[in-house]
Structure formats: structure tokens, C-alpha cells
Amino acid sequence: MRVDAHQHFWNLEKVEYPWLIPAHGSIYRTIEANELEPLLQTNGIDKTVIIQAMDSYEDTDYMLETAEQFSWIAGVVGWVPLNKPEEAAKKLELYSKNPRFKGVRHLIHDEPDPNWLVQDNVIQGLKILASYGLTFDVVAELPEHLQHVTTLAEKIPNLKIVIDHLAKPPIKDQQMEPWSSLMKDAAEYPNVYAKLSGLNTAAHWENWSAADIKPYIDFAFNNFGAERLLFGSDWPVANLAGDYTKIWVETNKALEGRSQVEIDAVLGGTAIKFYGL
């Protein structure tokens, strides 16, 4: 089974997305499941996981409603206010009753405080999340964000954490540090996973190829192993530097030479286990 473990939808009439502005060009519009469906069929993707695009209940409810309409949506990663543990607990009690609700993400990269993630109240909120057996997606765009992954992994060992987009490695500059050292530290914790997603937009150029992302994917393999790596398209954000098919084709090229067992894990098996699809 092939699983896209990281894609988005947004409806500008139903939900407010302050980050989505005209400067985002082609993705500054309503983009929904009907648009993705033929791309999944063309590329042989069986299931997907929708990831939140806004820190709001409206976005989470919209995703869950969408998931009810399309059988290929296997999971939803939504949002609750982790910094308000009591409110988060009440909403998680409700959301966890929906079998498609698999975890939570917060747009920590939009928080003015780079240390938002390790505040005492947020830690408490994450402990409540873990108690429900739900997962946490980390948008680690700053070194501080990535450093905090190890803190969370230590303080909440029963919380399954996944680092989105391999924490946006410095592909554009063709460098490895400090990204590689921080990722290596995070990989030492067995409850930390990582997504091979968003690497095209990390490259910041249209004509990127498998050769550009392969060194970073290889590094992730060496530290996390296939059993803790998940493929994700990051569609439709991916359209800013390519398209769905290019992401799929070039990622598969970057995986060439790996065993079929490893490839099957990254392209589906790990996501099924991580999110409990």
C-alpha cells in the first residue's frame, strides 16, 4: 500500500488562513480533495493523511468533514490548543472518538517565541495528547525547534513525534550543518520519526531533481532507518516548486538502490504504523 502521509486542503470560504496570502501565487485559492484525487490515481497512491493548515477548530472540523466524503483519506492530523491543557483535554476527548483523527500539529514556526514548544503548559498538553495514543507533528523550521524535539522525546517518551519535511534541510545551500547534527540527536530517541516531505520547497528552485534531495534522504536513512521514515507530498504547497507527479517520481528515484522492504516501509508501511491507519 502506498500512503501520502502529508498533504493539505483549504477552503477560503470556510476557514481563515492568515498565512495564505496573494504572494503564495498558484496556491492562494481554495484547493480541495476533488483536485487531488486524479493525481493520486495517476501515481498509484492508495491513502493519504491530511495535515492541518491552521491552528483552529474550523480547520480541523473541515478536514474531518472532508475525510468522511473520500475513502482514500485514512487519517487527519488536526489541532487543539496545547498551551491550554484543560481545553485541549476536552477537545481531544471529543476528537478521539472519530477513528480518522490521528494526531495534532501546531504551527510553531508562526509563533513569535521559538521556545513555545517547551513551555510547561504545552508540555502538559502534549502529555494529555500522548495519553490518548495520538501523535504529534513538529514543523521544525528553526534550529531551536529541532533542539526541542529531543526535550519532548525525553520528557514524554510515550508520545510519538514526527518531524515534518526533515526539518527543512539546507538543500538550497547544499550544506549539512547544523541540520545534520540536530537531526542525528533527535534520531537517537525511538519515539521520534521523520517525513520525507517538502524537500522540493526546501531546495527553492524549480528544476530540482532526485540528485539534490538524495544526500539528505540518505542521511535520514542512516539515522532513522526505513522503519521511522514516512513519505509525504506536502501537496499543494509542493506546487510552488514542481507538482505532485514530480515529487513522487523524484522521491522514488532517490530511493533507488534500497531494498524493497525499505521502500515499502517509507512509501506506506511506516505511515500505517505511526498513525495507526
Side-chain angles (χ1 to χ4, degrees), residues 186-194 223-230 270:
E188 291 180 5
Y189 296 88
N191 56 325
V192 178
Y193 294 63
N223 287 274
F224 288 89
E227 68 279 2
R228 287 194 287 147
L229 291 177
L230 305 72
T270 303

Side-chain angles (χ1 to χ4, degrees), residues 10 12 16-29 240:
W10 42 76
L12 275 59
E16 290 186 7
Y17 309 91
W19 63 269
L20 187 56
I21 57 177
H24 283 95
S26 64
I27 66 171
Y28 178 61
R29 59 186 177 84
L240 297 176

